[in-house]
């Protein structure tokens, strides 16, 4: 997403950022070289990956691990290493 | 109830004003000659005369840090310090202004070491002149008292939202008793009103204060500070007017004393101006057309006001109570700069006086009058500073 | 009430993705564990350092809660100001009903805590503000390029204690911050390690809910600083505890105890691993495995044993 840089007249004073959590609009997914993939068959929804993902990139919907937030996943592989059933694997990302 | 004069020191006048303001939070650390402010205010807290939460911090760095935290949370937060204390706060003094927090800080001006010295001069706050704070300098105890209320209103004004230092001279003002007329609590309460700014605890939604601000936006935020300062004088004028109506005492951005027909004037800030006025009265007796000009504010710098006022005179002696080693002192240089584009400008002479609390006596100021008379006759000035009364 | 993962995953995470911490940095996980341990409203203050810098690069913030960064050495004084403001505004009826249980948490790196911020931390603890201070301890000044701090262990290769012809890295043992904080006799103190999320979160919950100051020191293996792979920190966090390099301690109202794996080791129910198990996968200690440095490993082992025995004694175990 290309961000439009604003004039000093149109930004809050003091450097305050008024929209909490707006880093979700910043894409860190481009940092990846390896990408995690989920095998839903193997996943037992233990949510270990959710707990240990540093980038809040494990998507949980209705108590089920459904995949990854690829906009923000940096491909660190931690989810792979904590998954007890080997339901997640890393593969080289084609860009 | 008729208002009555009561005897108060400058420090007590500050504490009295702070009591009437009854800030949400005060975080301060003792340093001579500011200590009597903190001690007096602590008594008010101990006796339940205020319900301020007082944070007895372990250093001035933490005093300013906690004050910033409290103001950022949405509280009316105050602190007070002097010299080395201000220097220890330094880093956070800038952050308070950049974060646009309407903090009021009492300053009891004191020489900034070294060698260590506890007496009054302006080397502490003059060093902080680029920190982004508004600075108001008080000549006497009444002015100290009055300035606190005006400072609070200026700081919290929605067009401004900048912190203010309310300065008074160490010992000369802070420890001398004068008759001060305090206003009834109700008058103060109505004048200062309820705070409007919101903080982390009071804003409707969560937000972030103090992010990492890089090349792409830092410059824009500095421009905002720059522009905010430009809005300060109209706000001050309105507030001074309202103050006069409510408190019955009238202040201007620049105080002029017997300048109507003056040829020469002495300009300076804070307590020395009391003595200057005496000297002028005596010189007037002798028929010398001399007056005084006292800028009450140094930040923002009242350049436009000074340009208008000073161009009427033949010669101006500018008293600085601090040095800018390797250059000329601040009140002098900034005043001189104002006249760069003017065709009509007074002759000027720079004096550095009173460092480390050295008395600026009537005799020394009489010499200034004589110097200025000579200067206005010969037109031969030079652009150097004289250490007024130093032993050669 | 036990903290359950299946409940947590349905809650809002206080720190969003899109922040710019290194891939595989455990610090955001620590923040999540600390802040999600209770449902109270929270305000956070952050010292300058990786966490602050990388989560709030203007105009983006990863924080979903009210958050402030003031400077490097003053997170404790800043949160003290906020907590004081809270008490004042409560008195004056200016805090909304749903915010009356607000909790205050400060985060600082080990540099901002053990070193430059120690005075402001000590002051805030002594004054008894109601807050939790969390040190995410990556054992060095990482944000400025991996310099040593007083939390850096013996033998570590940092940019100010580089390994050279006549140097094996940092010479001095780590500062015992837990004991320094304990000397303030505050109601709650703990060390924690993020691989044991349940232990960390239980401690955080107590620390946040206790009345008065609380302190936690949480080990945070750093990818570039410790020279480890991005998927390695959990294992290293675990090895730190199992070697007793990083004992899991809890001090509640002056009473010391060991928790998690540390308790099991002290009780003889788990094996205490040699310190090499912690050192071996970290690039910052690589040089120690050369023949000429084998004495340094012994030095580290002695240091670990000495402090482990001390902590055990404090927790009521006899050697
Ligand atoms: C007063 C001051 N001195 C130095 C710095 C530079 N500085 C910024 S972050 C930092 C190191 C931070 O180390 P630590 O607290 O351990 O946090 P980490 O970066 O490891 O997360 C330093 C030295 C600063 N910002 N302010
Ligand atoms: S690879 Fe890393 S960032 Fe991506 S989902 Fe897994 S743990 Fe999260
Ligand atoms: S340098 Fe270390 S502590 Fe800092 S973000 Fe990277 S991994 Fe985390």
């Amino acid at each position: 997403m290309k961000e439009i840089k604003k004039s000093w007249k149109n930004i809050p004073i003091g450097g305050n950022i008024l929209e909490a959590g707006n880093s979700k609009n910043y894409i860190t997914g481009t940092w990846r070289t390896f990408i995690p993939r989920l095998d839903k068959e193997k996943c037992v929804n233990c949510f270990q990956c959710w707990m240990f993902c540093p980038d809040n990139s494990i998507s949980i919907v209705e108590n089920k691990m459904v995949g990854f937030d690829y906009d923000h996943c940096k491909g660190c592989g931690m989810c792979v290493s904590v998954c007890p059933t080997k339901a997640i694997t890393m593969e080289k990302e084609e860009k | 109830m008729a208002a009555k004069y009561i005897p108060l020191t400058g420090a007590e006048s500050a504490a009295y004003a702070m009591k009437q303001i009854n800030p949400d939070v005060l975080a301060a650390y003792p340093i001579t000659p500011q200590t009597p402010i903190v001690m007096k205010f602590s008594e008010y807290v101990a006796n339940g005369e205020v319900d301020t939460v007082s944070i007895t911090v372990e250093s001035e760095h933490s005093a300013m840090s906690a004050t910033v935290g409290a103001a950022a949370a949405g509280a009316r937060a105050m602190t007070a310090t002097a010299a080395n204390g201000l220097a220890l706060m330094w880093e956070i003094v800038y952050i308070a202004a950049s974060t646009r927090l309407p903090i009021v800080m009492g300053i009891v001006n004191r020489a900034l070491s070294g060698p260590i010295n506890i007496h009054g001069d302006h080397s502490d706050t003059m060093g902080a002149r680029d920190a982004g704070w508004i600075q108001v300098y008080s000549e006497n105890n009444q002015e100290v008292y009055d300035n606190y209320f005006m400072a609070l209103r200026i700081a919290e004004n929605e067009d401004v939202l900048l912190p203010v230092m309310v300065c008074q001279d160490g010992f000369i003002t802070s420890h001398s008793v004068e008759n001060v007329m305090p206003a009834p609590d109700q008058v103060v309460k109505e004048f200062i009103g309820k705070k409007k700014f919101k903080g982390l605890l009071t804003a409707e939604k969560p937000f972030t204060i103090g992010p990492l601000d890089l090349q792409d936006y830092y410059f824009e935020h500095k421009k905002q500070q720059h522009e905010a300062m430009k809005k300060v004088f109209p706000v001050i004028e309105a507030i001074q007017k309202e103050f006069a109506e409510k408190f019955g005492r009238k202040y201007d951005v620049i105080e002029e004393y017997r300048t109507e027909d003056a040829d020469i004037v002495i300009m300076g800030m804070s307590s020395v101006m009391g003595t200057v006025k005496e000297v002028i009265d005596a010189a007037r007796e002798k028929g010398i057309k001399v007056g005084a000009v006292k800028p009450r504010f140094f930040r923002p710098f009242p350049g436009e006001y000074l340009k208008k006022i000073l161009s009427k005179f033949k010669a101006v002696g500018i008293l600085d109570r601090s040095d800018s080693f390797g250059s000329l002192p601040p009140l002098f240089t900034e005043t001189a700069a104002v006249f760069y584009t003017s065709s009509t400008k007074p002759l000027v002479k720079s004096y550095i006086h009173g460092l480390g609390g050295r008395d600026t006596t009537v005799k020394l100021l009489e010499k200034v009058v004589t110097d200025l008379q000579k200067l206005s006759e010969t037109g031969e000035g030079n652009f150097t500073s004289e250490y007024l009364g130093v032993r050669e | 009430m036990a903290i359950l993962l299946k409940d947590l995953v349905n809650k809002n995470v206080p720190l969003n993705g899109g922040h710019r911490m290194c891939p595989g940095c455990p610090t955001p996980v620590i923040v999540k564990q600390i802040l999600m341990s209770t449902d109270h409203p929270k305000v956070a203050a952050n010292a300058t350092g990786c966490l602050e810098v990388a989560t709030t690069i203007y105009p983006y913030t990863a924080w979903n809660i009210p958050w402030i960064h003031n400077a490097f050495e003053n997170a404790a004084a800043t949160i003290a100001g906020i907590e004081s403001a809270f008490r004042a505004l409560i008195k004056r009826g200016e805090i909304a009903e749903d915010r009356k249980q607000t909790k205050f948490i400060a985060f600082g790196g080990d540099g901002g805590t053990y070193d430059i911020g120690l005075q402001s931390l000590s002051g805030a603890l002594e004054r008894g503000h109601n807050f939790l201070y969390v040190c995410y301890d990556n054992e060095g000044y990482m944000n400025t390029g991996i310099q040593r701090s007083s939390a850096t262990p013996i033998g570590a290769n940092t940019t100010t204690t580089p390994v050279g012809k006549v140097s094996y890295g940092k010479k001095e043992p780590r500062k015992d911050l837990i004991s320094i904080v304990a000397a303030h006799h505050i109601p709650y103190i703990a060390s924690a390690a993020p691989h044991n999320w349940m232990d960390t979160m239980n401690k955080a919950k107590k620390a946040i809910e206790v009345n008065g100051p609380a302190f936690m020191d949480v080990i945070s293996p750093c990818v570039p600083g410790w020279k480890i792979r991005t998927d390695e920190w959990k294992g290293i966090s675990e090895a730190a505890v199992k070697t007793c390099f990083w004992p899991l301690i809890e001090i509640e109202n002056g009473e010391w105890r060991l928790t998690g794996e540390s308790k099991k080791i002290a009780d003889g129910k788990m094996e205490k691993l040699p310190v090499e198990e912690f050192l071996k996968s970290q690039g910052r200690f690589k040089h120690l495995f050369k023949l000429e440095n084998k004495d340094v490993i012994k030095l580290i082992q002695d240091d670990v044993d000495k402090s482990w025995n001390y902590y055990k004694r404090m927790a009521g175990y006899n050697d």
Side-chain angles (χ1 to χ4, degrees):
Chain A
M1 192 191 75
K2 187 95 182 92
E3 165 205 331
I4 300 151
K5 301 240 159 73
K6 293 186 181 143
S7 142
W8 64 269
K9 295 174 194 142
N10 303 328
I11 50 174
I13 60 166
N16 295 347
I17 303 173
L18 302 183
E19 191 192 341
N22 68 353
S23 68
K24 62 179 185 294
N25 302 325
Y26 187 85
I27 306 301
T28 51
T30 51
W31 298 14
R32 266 191 319 266
T33 43
F34 289 88
I35 186 163
R37 300 285 186 203
L38 174 70
D39 180 346
K40 284 192 184 157
E41 302 286 289
K42 287 191 189 157
C43 173
V44 293
N45 295 304
C46 68
F47 307 132
Q48 291 293 313
C49 53
W50 177 89
M51 173 54 77
F52 292 105
C53 170
D55 290 281
N56 210 12
S57 296
I58 303 293
S59 308
I60 311 279
V61 176
E62 288 172 0
N63 278 313
K64 293 223 153 46
M65 153 63 168
V66 296
F68 306 92
D69 168 5
Y70 288 125
D71 279 351
H72 301 114
C73 161
K74 294 172 188 156
C76 70
M78 185 48 74
C79 49
V80 176
S81 82
V82 300
C83 177
T85 63
K86 298 196 163 42
I88 308 174
T89 46
M90 294 303 273
E91 57 186 57
K92 183 113 182 114
E93 187 167 9
E94 306 297 334
K95 292 205 180 157
Chain B
M1 191 190 80
K4 265 206 329 246
Y5 281 106
I6 55 171
L8 293 175
T9 63
E12 286 165 350
S13 308
Y16 200 103
M18 286 160 70
K19 176 182 86 155
Q20 290 183 305
I21 290 170
N22 193 11
D24 298 311
V25 174
L26 175 96
Y29 190 82
I31 178 168
T32 306
Q34 159 265 34
T35 19
I37 301 182
V38 192
M39 293 193 296
K40 193 74 206 170
F41 194 84
S42 302
E43 271 175 45
Y44 294 140
V45 174
N47 293 325
E49 290 181 69
V50 292
D51 62 355
T52 302
V53 172
S54 158
I55 319 178
T56 47
V57 281
E58 82 299 333
S59 71
E60 286 88 354
H61 195 283
S62 287
M64 186 46 77
S65 301
T67 306
V68 163
R76 238 176 210 159
M78 296 181 80
T79 181
T81 193
N84 303 52
L86 179 63
L88 190 57
M89 288 179 177
W90 211 253
E91 179 195 23
I92 317 303
V93 169
Y94 278 71
I95 290 168
S98 310
T99 313
R100 307 296 296 276
L101 299 173
I103 293 165
V104 174
M105 167 155 67
I107 298 275
V108 184
N109 284 108
R110 156 179 160 174
L112 187 53
S113 304
I116 193 162
N117 172 300
I118 56 171
H119 292 280
D121 75 28
H122 297 168
S123 51
D124 49 3
T125 48
M126 279 302 157
R129 64 187 184 266
D130 293 336
W133 287 58
I134 293 165
Q135 293 185 337
V136 54
Y137 288 79
S138 325
E139 177 185 328
N140 52 43
N141 302 6
Q142 185 70 59
E143 209 180 326
V144 167
Y145 173 80
D146 293 345
N147 278 341
Y148 273 84
F149 307 123
M150 289 187 270
L152 187 90
R153 286 286 305 276
I154 297 163
E156 291 184 6
N157 182 284
E158 282 165 342
D159 285 339
V160 176
L161 288 171
L162 288 169
V164 184
M165 296 181 192
V166 182
C167 308
Q168 60 175 297
D169 282 345
F171 287 102
I172 307 169
T173 308
S174 64
H175 287 59
S176 308
V177 178
E178 288 175 0
N179 276 331
V180 173
M181 188 187 289
D185 291 351
Q186 195 52 33
V187 171
V188 170
K189 217 171 149 185
E190 277 166 21
F191 181 75
I192 62 174
K194 282 208 160 38
K195 55 184 178 278
K196 294 199 193 74
F197 63 96
K198 296 280 181 214
L200 293 173
L201 293 171
T202 52
E204 219 169 288
K205 289 189 189 152
F207 68 106
T208 285
I209 300 181
L212 175 67
D213 199 15
L214 299 173
Q215 301 93 318
D216 52 350
Y217 278 102
Y218 185 86
F219 206 42
E220 276 66 31
H221 289 124
K222 292 298 121 179
K223 173 72 171 167
Q224 290 179 329
Q225 271 180 269
H226 185 88
E227 292 299 318
M229 273 289 186
K230 284 197 198 159
K231 292 188 184 158
V232 173
F233 280 127
V235 171
I236 290 176
E237 291 210 27
I239 288 169
Q240 287 182 150
K241 188 155 169 276
E242 193 187 327
F243 185 85
E245 285 156 15
K246 301 243 166 77
F247 289 70
R249 284 181 294 275
K250 187 178 170 301
Y251 290 98
D252 294 307
V253 170
I254 314 276
E255 183 187 328
E256 291 185 64
Y257 185 75
R258 303 189 76 167
T259 53
E260 320 76 43
D261 60 340
D263 290 329
I264 55 175
V265 291
I266 302 179
M267 177 162 110
M269 301 194 304
S270 295
S271 66
V272 74
M273 296 313 287
T275 326
V276 166
K277 287 172 188 171
E278 272 177 50
V279 169
I280 283 166
D281 288 344
R284 283 273 174 181
E285 294 284 306
K286 291 186 220 152
I288 304 169
K289 287 187 176 173
V290 59
V293 170
K294 180 185 89 178
R296 287 177 9 90
F297 292 84
F298 189 76
R299 280 290 177 273
F301 189 71
E304 288 306 313
Y305 293 85
L306 288 174
K307 193 156 143 185
K308 221 188 262 154
I309 293 168
L310 298 181
S311 53
K312 298 184 293 205
F313 312 118
K314 285 191 190 143
V316 184
I318 300 173
L319 306 179
D320 269 280
R321 205 165 192 142
S322 65
D323 198 347
S324 174
F325 302 104
S327 180
L328 292 158
L331 183 59
F332 178 79
T333 39
E334 298 204 13
T335 305
V338 163
F339 287 98
Y340 180 71
T341 53
S342 298
S343 45
T344 44
K345 49 190 146 200
L347 294 157
V348 284
K349 181 155 169 55
S350 166
Y351 297 92
I352 289 168
H353 78 103
L355 301 189
R358 178 68 60 85
D359 210 7
T360 303
T361 59
V362 167
K363 216 166 149 202
L364 289 170
L365 293 168
E366 282 169 356
K367 178 195 165 308
V368 171
V369 174
T370 318
D371 285 357
L372 293 177
Q373 279 180 296
K374 238 185 268 164
L375 179 62
S376 67
E377 281 156 21
T378 61
E380 283 167 19
N382 62 19
F383 237 53
T384 56
S385 289
E386 177 177 330
Y387 259 57
L388 189 61
V390 77
R391 283 186 305 279
E392 294 294 345
Chain C
M1 220 172 55
I3 297 167
L4 299 173
L5 256 180
K6 71 173 177 45
D7 297 333
L8 291 177
V9 295
N10 292 315
K11 293 182 179 176
N12 287 332
V13 176
L15 192 67
N16 271 0
H19 61 70
R20 283 170 258 183
M21 309 289 285
C22 298
C25 173
T27 304
V29 175
I30 294 170
V31 171
K32 173 166 74 181
Q33 293 175 354
I34 301 284
L35 295 179
M36 292 189 80
S37 67
T38 78
D39 291 332
H40 294 295
K42 297 164 200 92
V43 176
N46 209 153
T48 313
C50 283
L51 178 61
E52 164 266 329
V53 162
T55 57
T56 62
I57 301 183
Y58 194 91
Y60 296 105
T61 177
W63 295 85
N64 286 317
I65 59 170
W67 180 96
I68 184 172
H69 160 249
N70 187 345
F72 184 19
E73 63 289 74
N74 64 358
T78 306
I79 203 81
I82 299 171
E83 187 262 356
S84 302
F86 177 73
R87 280 184 284 132
L89 298 180
I90 284 269
K91 264 202 281 192
R92 296 174 179 195
E94 294 176 34
I95 297 290
E97 202 52 47
D98 58 346
R99 291 186 186 172
K100 288 198 168 144
Q101 294 300 316
T102 301
K103 304 292 178 187
F104 302 92
I105 297 114
F107 291 99
D110 47 287
T113 309
Y114 283 66
D115 290 346
I116 198 166
L118 187 59
Q119 171 181 323
S120 102
L121 173 63
S122 172
L125 297 177
E126 183 271 333
R127 292 191 302 272
H129 295 279
N130 195 4
F131 76 114
L132 164 63
Y133 189 105
V134 178
C135 174
Y136 64 94
D137 194 337
N138 52 29
E139 304 191 328
Y141 304 162
M142 299 318 181
N143 183 53
T144 38
I146 315 168
Q147 292 90 24
R148 68 92 89 178
S149 78
S150 58
T152 307
I154 300 176
N157 188 2
T158 75
T159 56
T160 48
T161 57
V163 172
K165 282 190 189 123
V166 295
S167 177
Y168 57 78
K170 190 187 180 232
K171 305 280 178 305
E172 306 78 16
R174 287 171 292 158
K175 186 186 274 181
D176 180 5
L177 186 62
I178 288 283
S179 294
I180 294 171
V181 172
H184 291 74
H185 306 302
I186 58 171
Y188 191 85
I189 304 161
S191 63
H195 74 278
N196 192 338
W197 64 269
M198 187 65 97
D199 183 69
T200 308
M201 290 188 78
N202 283 333
K203 287 171 171 171
K205 188 171 159 62
K206 283 192 207 176
I208 291 173
E209 290 178 356
V210 78
N211 193 17
F215 175 83
M216 287 180 70
D217 197 355
V218 189
I219 193 169
S220 186
C222 164
V223 174
W226 295 18
K227 299 186 176 53
I228 56 177
R229 291 196 323 261
T230 56
D231 61 352
E232 233 177 348
W233 63 262
K234 182 168 177 271
I236 290 177
S237 166
E238 191 171 340
V241 173
K242 289 188 172 168
T243 56
C244 299
F245 172 89
W246 190 267
L248 298 176
I249 299 163
E250 180 171 62
I251 310 169
E252 229 174 327
N253 295 314
E255 200 176 308
W256 292 60
R257 69 177 79 88
L258 297 168
T259 68
E261 297 95 323
S262 299
K263 177 166 164 44
K264 287 189 189 146
I265 295 168
D267 288 341
K269 291 180 185 150
M270 187 183 263
E271 188 196 350
K272 172 173 178 279
L273 301 177
V275 77
E276 282 94 329
E277 291 303 310
F278 171 66
L279 306 177
K280 68 183 183 193
S281 57
Q282 301 180 44
R284 64 175 172 159
F285 297 121
K286 197 175 72 195
H287 57 288
L288 300 182
F289 291 89
K290 289 186 184 151
L291 204 57
E292 68 266 26
N293 281 330
K294 70 173 193 308
D295 291 350
V296 184
I297 294 192
K298 180 151 186 323
L299 214 62
I300 299 172
Q301 186 67 62
D302 288 349
D303 181 49
V304 165
D305 293 346
K306 203 170 78 184
S307 48
W308 168 243
N309 287 334
Y310 164 73
Y311 292 133
K312 261 197 324 190
R313 276 200 305 281
M314 295 303 288
Y317 292 87
N318 299 317
D319 292 342

